[in-house]
Amino acid sequence: MTAPVFLVEPAVLDGAPSRLTLDGPEGRHAVSVRRLTAGEEVVLTDGEGRGAFGTVAAAEGKDLLHVDVTEVRTETAPAARITVVQALPKGDRGELAVETMTEAGVDVVVPWAASRCVTQWRGERGAKSLAKWRSTAREAAKQSRRLRFPTVTDLMTTRQVAALLGEAAFAGVLHEEGSAPLAAVPLPAEGSLVLVVGPEGGVSPEEIGLFREAGAPPYRLGPTVLRTSTAGVAATALLLTRTGRWS
């Protein structure tokens, strides 16, 4: 069985520790939910690229797990960093998109309030929805054994997304009317690669025009039209393959 991953504060991994104690909500999950016992393998990560690999020394109470560390590994940041701008889907499809993109290996997810989004994030509801996306990304990263967790930014407007696209090393909009396939377009070896995924109603002509001006033309992902909740993970997988991160 693959060792489960738990999240700790970055300072916990400083100084090449030989023994660590996992407590709080993560410790409670390890002891009371996972019921880990002495000798089982675990990984404690700061979510920023470092991971302490070791075995359980002992479980104490309901939320304390003592771990003997055998190795601390550091995963370097990727040269080509993948960002997906995800228009807000209806229902729980936003969490599905974040979960699958995280499992695939996306680096940044940007929630986007596109003009044709049915769902709107406002006030307390918006704050709760953003918190849910971030929680989904964190749990999916742990489930997929990542040492470097993705960032879920604050909600962005169309103008803010255009500014983000203008700063990218490569940028594009996934759109069925794109003249060029994403699978064939030249990609830089490093820097920020940013793709926009529109809502169920599609990216508006005004948004397409603004993004094109920012340096992000429309590209086809494939011969079929994917749902907004699945297009991002398909595009992420394609870029991970083409940039060599899956080689």
Side-chain angles (χ1 to χ4, degrees):
M1 180 179 178
T2 306
V5 175
F6 299 95
L7 186 64
V8 297
E9 292 295 325
V12 172
L13 302 183
D14 291 344
S18 59
R19 174 169 284 196
L20 294 174
T21 297
L22 184 67
D23 56 11
E26 291 287 88
R28 186 174 301 109
H29 183 74
V31 176
S32 299
V33 179
R34 296 297 299 262
R35 299 184 181 279
L36 297 179
T37 58
E40 294 190 79
E41 295 183 348
V42 294
V43 179
L44 308 183
T45 180
D46 60 3
E48 299 177 3
R50 287 188 301 170
F53 294 73
T55 57
V56 176
E60 183 180 341
K62 296 181 179 180
D63 60 358
L64 292 179
L65 192 77
H66 303 291
V67 178
D68 285 333
V69 178
T70 56
E71 180 186 8
V72 176
R73 301 177 194 168
T74 299
E75 184 180 277
T76 59
R81 185 173 170 84
I82 300 171
T83 296
V84 173
V85 177
Q86 174 67 58
L88 305 180
K90 295 182 290 186
D92 61 357
R93 288 189 174 274
E95 290 93 85
L96 174 62
V98 172
E99 180 180 48
T100 54
M101 286 190 289
T102 298
E103 290 173 355
V106 74
D107 300 297
V108 182
V109 178
V110 178
W112 171 39
S115 62
R116 293 178 176 175
C117 284
V118 174
T119 298
Q120 299 293 324
W121 283 6
R122 295 192 180 94
E124 184 178 350
R125 177 183 178 183
K128 288 182 178 179
S129 296
L130 178 59
K132 188 174 292 186
W133 278 35
R134 286 173 171 165
S135 174
T136 298
R138 182 175 63 251
E139 294 307 313
K142 290 162 58 178
Q143 179 66 33
S144 54
R145 277 68 177 176
R146 290 182 61 165
L147 296 185
R148 191 174 294 276
F149 288 15
T151 299
V152 178
T153 73
D154 291 339
L155 178 69
M156 287 193 184
T157 65
T158 297
R159 289 288 177 182
Q160 289 172 321
V161 170
L164 178 69
L165 297 172
E167 297 171 352
F170 170 83
V173 181
L174 299 182
H175 199 275
E176 65 270 18
E177 296 181 3
S179 59
L182 184 63
V185 66
L187 295 175
E190 59 184 30
S192 178
L193 313 182
V194 185
L195 289 176
V196 176
V197 176
E200 284 89 345
V203 184
S204 73
E206 295 77 16
E207 290 164 340
I208 287 287
L210 183 63
F211 294 161
R212 189 190 292 273
E213 290 177 4
Y219 294 107
R220 297 193 316 274
L221 187 56
T224 60
V225 177
L226 301 181
R227 300 196 69 155
T228 184
S229 54
T230 55
V233 67
T236 296
L238 175 60
L239 292 185
L240 287 166
T241 301
R242 295 201 56 212
T243 57
R245 289 176 56 178
W246 271 9
S247 61

